[in-house]
Amino acid sequence: MKIKEVQIYQIEMPLKEPFIIAYTSYETMPAIIIKMTTDTGIVGYGESVPDEHVTGESVYTVFTALKHHLIPAILDEDPRNIKEIHKLMNQALVQNGAAKAALDIACYDILGKVSNLPIYSLLGGRKKTEPMIARVMSILEPEVLAKQAKEALDEGYKEIKMKLGTDPNKDVARVKAVREAIGSQMLIRVDVNQGWETVQVAKQTIKRLEPYDISWVEQPIKQGDVSMFRRLRKSTEIPLMADESMVTEQNLRTLIEDESVDYVNIKLMKSGGIYPVYNLATQAELFGISCQIGSMVESSIASAAGFHVALSKDNIVSTEISGPTKFIKEPGNLKYKLPFVQMTDASGLGIDVDEKILEELTIKKEVIK
């Protein structure tokens, strides 16, 4: 079996409401979808949702990287040989994790369809616990967040993830308002997306959050300050999670050696897809580190891929993959029964892709063969 053709779709997916985080906001979500076809007619789908502030990529650079470097490197190769596919991609282009993730996901989709197995079975099997998502809330006014938190409780969510990072004082007010609105009925975790920047500001703000029973604080400091988590760890009992600082195996080694975080947030878009993320989770497991599978705001294609990894590892204790719940329209059909996702035993990614909707959302398209 060989890869004979890859179609690249640059799309824009409309959101139900703006998605606002520390460093930017989105009215629509740009993404790259790929359709990979083999010489036997098997089709696999992949997705790239890059983030300039995290992966250093945009949809424009991903499109170019796929067209000129990554797809030419793997054409006529066997998509079932995932290890070789990554070797060839890494030889063609360093980094560019989100671009590589699209091809990795498509290869796993094909491998699953050929094997007539869901991807989680190819990764070792499915654990019994069902993957559950938190209600992710944008950076809004405290009273708006309090209202949304009550609505989330009524909708059946068990946990809330609050985006913070624009103003420490306002951030504390936001968390206070949400905790007062829901009492002790739901867990609250916060994600700062590097917004507090320095260890000094992070220390002070985390101290002020202690009365509100926070499950963990995610990435309060700048991305490059991996070793600075050690200083922060000494000043608080609230668990810490590394996200933007956790991309490579070297990042993980530093965090493990420093004993500086309680959790790591691993994402297919940061690290290059299912294969490298599964390996990172395995390495973390060896040292007793629990993981979260996170995501950008992704369609059902990349979201399903993330859930397959989460189902295959016992030390992946949290999934934050809620993109499909945020779109007005997207090309896949991953189903949620909040707060749970309904993963089936269908082969490959286990979802259907509506090519009519895919074409509707497409801004630019190219066929490489």
Side-chain angles (χ1 to χ4, degrees), residues 27 52 82 92 141 171 196 201 242 244 267 277 330 344 363:
E27 299 287 337
E52 295 92 330
I82 306 290
E141 292 300 310
D171 287 340
W196 296 336
V201 173
E244 288 92 333
K267 296 178 179 177
V277 160
E330 58 112 339
T344 71
I363 293 171

Side-chain angles (χ1 to χ4, degrees), residues 307-325:
F307 279 121
H308 278 284
V309 180
L311 282 169
S312 71
K313 298 294 293 182
D314 287 331
N315 70 318
I316 296 176
V317 299
S318 173
T319 48
E320 286 188 355
I321 309 175
S322 59
T325 69

Side-chain angles (χ1 to χ4, degrees), residues 224-236:
D225 292 344
V226 183
S227 62
M228 292 296 101
F229 272 102
R230 179 171 52 188
R231 289 177 54 199
L232 193 56
R233 169 76 286 158
K234 294 175 181 177
S235 67
T236 180

Side-chain angles (χ1 to χ4, degrees), residues 153-190:
L153 182 62
D154 292 339
E155 290 168 359
Y157 284 99
K158 308 297 183 186
E159 297 187 55
I160 285 174
K161 175 175 180 172
M162 298 182 63
K163 292 289 188 176
L164 304 177
T166 54
D167 177 315
N169 291 327
K170 197 71 169 285
D171 287 340
V172 174
R174 291 180 174 108
V175 175
K176 180 176 184 289
V178 168
R179 178 54 78 199
E180 289 177 349
I182 60 174
S184 60
Q185 296 179 80
M186 298 176 74
L187 300 174
I188 298 175
R189 59 183 78 162
V190 302

Side-chain angles (χ1 to χ4, degrees), residues 136-147:
V136 181
M137 300 197 299
S138 296
I139 298 176
L140 300 168
E141 292 300 310
E143 61 272 17
V144 176
L145 292 170
K147 181 175 181 292

